[in-house]
Amino acid sequence: MTEPKSCCCCQREDLPWSGRGATLDISGCRFSLYPMDSDFVSIILGALEKTDTSAVWSQSDALSTVYRGKLPYVVDAVEGLFINAFREGVHMALECQFSKGCPGDCDGDSFLGWEGEAPNAAVVAGAHFPVLCKIALYPMGVPDYIDHIAKVWHMAEDAGLQPTSIHYATRLTGDVQDVFRYLESVCRLMEQSVPHYILHCTLSVNSPTQE
Amino acid sequence: MTEPKSCCCCQREDLPWSGRGATLDISGCRFSLYPMDSDFVSIILGALEKTDTSAVWSQSDALSTVYRGKLPYVVDAVEGLFINAFREGVHMALECQFSKGCPGDCDGDSFLGWEGEAPNAAVVAGAHFPVLCKIALYPMGVPDYIDHIAKVWHMAEDAGLQPTSIHYATRLTGDVQDVFRYLESVCRLMEQSVPHYILHCTLSVNSPTQE
């Protein structure tokens, strides 16, 4: 059996990552950036380099990057990265997966030592552009997961993000900062409501598709 | 309140899609194709056009496309599309979300009338290229979701897809056909095991990143 490199949603005793589980306040986001442009390598690497990841633990592989730390700093790093990657006229999507509370998580691979202002706050504060978004929320291990999803739908209405229901997801639209404030508030609510959640999001800019 | 266009994971009575739920054998896949190339529009539209969707119900919007029908034909359509979009040397990712059993689903927006050979079988049969993949499985509403995830991890081992655990997901690698056979077998197992599941996948080809 292959030895997993890190943790996974599993504490079964017949698997090598059995009996794990984080005791610390670790939120995480795994994301992939997809600039639909032949210059994608420099857009992705440039954004990763420009983004200040001092407040999170970070690791990249061929498919995605993961940031782990305190929730506000994880959100700050992902938002900073998305804004740093934005180019006028270049269609780009960010696929991301916020999560906390996986019973197979571990205390390692994280950084929780940051305090005060988020490192990318200044970059974020100056950015405004419209974003198309879809989200899918998974509160795990609880029979009433539907109630949590309903609450989050209403939160999107209250935030002015015009939620519409599509098969398997909810569509939203709004300014980049409003979308990220909403995503952060959903994560915050979920970590207070359920032991383990995952929030999948797609953020798209400069789509050539007219609806 | 905005009237949802279709269904969502919610049967709360205070929401407009309350009391719904499919009674038919409808699986679905929502997906987005991301060719990292300035020619992305023709790659995406060309693949959508070349793919035979006779056996599924299909709808596209600015963010993604959804296919709904019987599981083997949904998988056939997504696999056919991915293969039709593949171009030698072009880095491309497919983000997809297979699902069945959402309590807010409906019997509409589906096609279940196809029988016999899958429409894209010939296209699929001739295709072989290596794929990097990550998956995250969410069996909903059950306390033992971890056991299902563990089983699927072992299935990936048995399928020779070399699963490795990363934060919030499992990485796999293999030939495109082996990856899709595995995804289909996971969906088949889940529909037999839990009332509602979602399987998120990222499939990547021609990545310039060396690991």
Side-chain angles (χ1 to χ4, degrees):
Chain A
M1 183 186 294
T2 313
E3 180 73 22
K5 283 184 294 186
S6 58
C7 60
C8 172
C9 291
C10 189
Q11 55 187 6
R12 292 243 315 214
E13 291 185 1
D14 58 335
L15 287 173
W17 58 93
S18 67
R20 300 170 75 173
T23 59
L24 302 175
D25 182 33
I26 304 169
S27 298
C29 183
R30 177 171 294 283
F31 62 89
S32 301
L33 197 60
Y34 300 123
M36 261 68 77
D37 193 281
S38 300
D39 200 20
F40 71 96
V41 172
S42 71
I43 295 175
I44 295 172
L45 295 184
L48 285 169
E49 278 167 25
K50 268 196 272 186
T51 304
D52 189 334
T53 55
S54 304
V56 295
W57 178 87
S58 170
Q59 188 174 63
S60 293
D61 66 24
L63 283 172
S64 53
T65 294
V66 62
Y67 292 156
R68 281 162 56 87
K70 293 178 182 172
L71 177 61
Y73 302 130
V74 169
V75 174
D76 168 76
V78 177
E79 187 173 4
L81 175 112
F82 188 57
I83 288 166
N84 284 328
F86 179 87
R87 288 193 189 177
E88 202 68 51
V90 172
H91 179 33
M92 178 177 71
L94 176 76
E95 291 272 356
C96 59
Q97 174 194 24
F98 290 94
S99 184
K100 188 176 182 187
C102 174
D105 201 357
C106 56
D107 286 339
D109 296 351
S110 65
F111 177 66
L112 298 169
W114 196 266
E115 303 281 346
E117 186 172 63
N120 300 285
V123 168
V124 167
H128 293 284
F129 49 82
V131 172
L132 299 180
C133 179
K134 69 177 164 69
I135 63 166
L137 174 65
Y138 307 116
M140 299 306 296
V142 294
D144 65 342
Y145 63 98
I146 280 165
D147 295 335
H148 298 288
I149 293 168
K151 191 176 286 183
V152 159
W153 204 91
H154 287 305
M155 282 168 59
E157 281 194 314
D158 295 343
L161 297 177
Q162 306 173 51
T164 54
S165 187
I166 57 175
H167 290 290
Y168 316 117
T170 297
R171 288 255 328 240
L172 309 171
T173 181
D175 181 77
V176 60
Q177 292 194 45
D178 295 334
V179 168
F180 273 96
R181 292 297 70 69
Y182 171 73
L183 298 178
E184 184 171 353
S185 67
V186 171
C187 293
R188 186 62 80 198
L189 178 67
M190 284 304 107
E191 69 178 17
Q192 293 164 352
S193 307
V194 296
H196 177 202
Y197 76 88
I198 306 96
L199 174 65
H200 275 262
C201 323
T202 305
L203 279 71
S204 170
V205 294
N206 299 321
S207 170
T209 305
Q210 298 298 320
E211 294 187 312
Chain B
M1 182 186 293
T2 313
E3 180 73 20
K5 283 185 294 188
S6 59
C7 60
C8 172
C9 292
C10 189
Q11 55 187 8
R12 291 244 314 216
E13 291 185 1
D14 58 334
L15 286 173
W17 59 94
S18 67
R20 301 170 74 173
T23 59
L24 302 175
D25 182 33
I26 305 169
S27 297
C29 183
R30 178 170 293 284
F31 63 88
S32 301
L33 197 61
Y34 299 122
M36 261 67 80
D37 192 282
S38 299
D39 199 21
F40 71 97
V41 172
S42 72
I43 295 175
I44 295 172
L45 295 184
L48 285 168
E49 280 166 26
K50 266 195 274 186
T51 303
D52 188 334
T53 55
S54 304
V56 295
W57 178 88
S58 170
Q59 189 174 61
S60 293
D61 67 24
L63 283 173
S64 53
T65 294
V66 62
Y67 292 157
R68 280 162 57 87
K70 293 179 183 173
L71 177 62
Y73 302 130
V74 169
V75 174
D76 168 77
V78 177
E79 186 173 6
L81 174 112
F82 188 57
I83 288 167
N84 285 328
F86 179 87
R87 288 194 190 179
E88 202 68 52
V90 173
H91 179 31
M92 177 178 71
L94 176 76
E95 291 272 355
C96 58
Q97 175 194 22
F98 291 93
S99 185
K100 188 176 182 187
C102 173
D105 202 358
C106 56
D107 286 338
D109 297 352
S110 64
F111 177 67
L112 298 169
W114 196 267
E115 303 282 347
E117 187 172 62
N120 299 284
V123 168
V124 167
H128 292 285
F129 49 81
V131 172
L132 298 180
C133 179
K134 68 178 166 69
I135 63 167
L137 174 65
Y138 308 116
M140 299 306 296
V142 293
D144 64 342
Y145 63 99
I146 281 165
D147 295 334
H148 298 288
I149 293 168
K151 191 177 286 184
V152 159
W153 204 90
H154 287 306
M155 281 168 59
E157 281 193 314
D158 295 342
L161 297 176
Q162 306 173 52
T164 55
S165 186
I166 57 175
H167 290 290
Y168 316 117
T170 297
R171 288 250 335 236
L172 310 170
T173 181
D175 181 77
V176 60
Q177 293 195 43
D178 295 335
V179 168
F180 273 96
R181 291 298 70 68
Y182 171 73
L183 298 178
E184 183 171 353
S185 67
V186 170
C187 292
R188 187 62 80 196
L189 178 67
M190 284 304 107
E191 70 177 17
Q192 293 164 352
S193 307
V194 297
H196 178 200
Y197 76 88
I198 307 94
L199 173 65
H200 276 262
C201 323
T202 305
L203 278 70
S204 169
V205 294
N206 299 321
S207 170
T209 305
Q210 297 298 320
E211 295 187 311

